[in-house]
Amino acid sequence: MKGDIITYDYYGSLYINMTNRCDCHCVFCIRDQDASALGGLWLQEEPTKEAVLEEILAHDLTPYAEIVFCGYGEPTCRADDLFWICDQLHAAGRADLPPIRLNTNGHGGLINHRDITPELAGRLDAVSVSLNGSDQEEYLRLTRPGAGEKGWQAMLDFVRGAAQSVPKVMVSIVDYDKSPQEIEACRKLAEDLGAIFRVRPFAG
Ligand code: SF4
């Protein structure tokens, strides 16, 4: 819809905004904290996969470190469209195509009723999953998934699966109210799952 922002520049990468939908309701989600400030990033209408592809390809991609599927919702709510766009980007044969990353809450399996991690192979160069807590209780307190406790296990399964399919899998926490002990417990869990750990500063 007119005014909707499908792509935007952020820290040297090209971010893709395909959906507002998400199965979580995180306590720190920017959508709750200042939705009015999101302007065109709060989509009035989801763009078609063709429109997303067209807009990405309209860019000179040379300056970008990565293409990042992120948005203000959960990109795997549109997993099939996401995979189609990745396939088309690779098929376009552009010499300026940078690595492609998915930022996700790791609930793609839950949302799509199938394990989507094998489908990441060859499409994505990196995946970053929000961990948010080192145990189920802390995770549920912060992310409040619609599916409740199943959200925790789904996220763990997704990280394990993605680590088998994608060259670089990162697990991140937002430094919202974490003690050093909790951060270390998150680091250990991430590494046990086969992922790289990183702490993101709280943007609230
Ligand atoms: S997973 Fe992301 S988009 Fe969804 S509620 Fe949490 S912070 Fe917001």
Side-chain angles (χ1 to χ4, degrees):
M1 186 177 244
K2 197 170 186 301
D4 283 351
I5 296 172
I6 303 173
T7 63
Y8 57 100
D9 289 21
Y10 192 64
Y11 282 98
S13 290
L14 183 66
Y15 276 63
I16 315 300
N17 181 33
M18 288 189 6
T19 184
N20 300 333
R21 287 181 281 155
C22 184
D23 68 321
C24 287
H25 192 182
C26 298
V27 297
F28 49 76
C29 185
I30 194 169
R31 302 183 309 166
D32 277 348
Q33 290 187 4
D34 197 0
S36 62
L38 295 176
L41 285 168
W42 187 259
L43 300 168
Q44 300 304 306
E45 192 177 297
E46 288 189 350
T48 64
K49 61 183 190 292
E50 291 85 0
V52 176
L53 177 68
E54 187 181 345
E55 185 156 328
I56 297 171
L57 291 176
H59 285 75
D60 172 7
L61 298 172
T62 311
Y64 295 110
E66 291 177 298
I67 291 172
V68 183
F69 287 92
C70 181
Y72 283 96
E74 168 49 40
T76 61
C77 287
R78 298 188 60 184
D80 291 331
D81 290 345
L82 168 66
F83 296 154
W84 182 87
I85 293 165
C86 291
D87 289 344
Q88 298 302 313
L89 286 172
H90 286 117
R94 291 264 298 255
D96 60 349
L97 182 69
I100 305 174
R101 168 160 56 105
L102 166 66
N103 285 357
T104 176
N105 64 14
H107 290 179
L110 205 54
I111 293 166
N112 294 282
H113 309 292
R114 68 178 192 270
D115 177 11
I116 64 167
T117 57
E119 298 169 71
L120 308 178
R123 292 180 163 125
L124 292 156
D125 301 285
V127 172
S128 181
V129 182
S130 302
L131 177 61
N132 294 314
S134 63
D135 59 34
Q136 178 173 287
E137 185 182 355
E138 173 74 351
Y139 180 80
L140 296 180
R141 182 180 76 79
L142 288 173
T143 62
R144 301 183 291 186
E149 292 179 4
K150 285 184 184 168
W152 167 248
Q153 193 58 49
M155 180 275 296
L156 297 178
D157 291 344
F158 184 92
V159 176
R160 277 194 209 92
Q164 303 298 313
S165 302
V166 177
K168 186 176 180 183
V169 175
M170 295 162 284
V171 154
S172 69
I173 60 167
V174 176
D175 190 11
Y176 179 63
D177 57 358
K178 293 271 183 291
S179 68
Q181 291 78 12
E182 284 173 314
I183 291 174
E184 273 318 296
C186 289
R187 180 190 305 282
K188 179 164 187 339
L189 176 59
E191 291 173 357
D192 287 349
L193 292 169
I196 300 162
F197 178 68
R198 70 187 178 107
V199 181
R200 292 179 287 133
F202 176 51

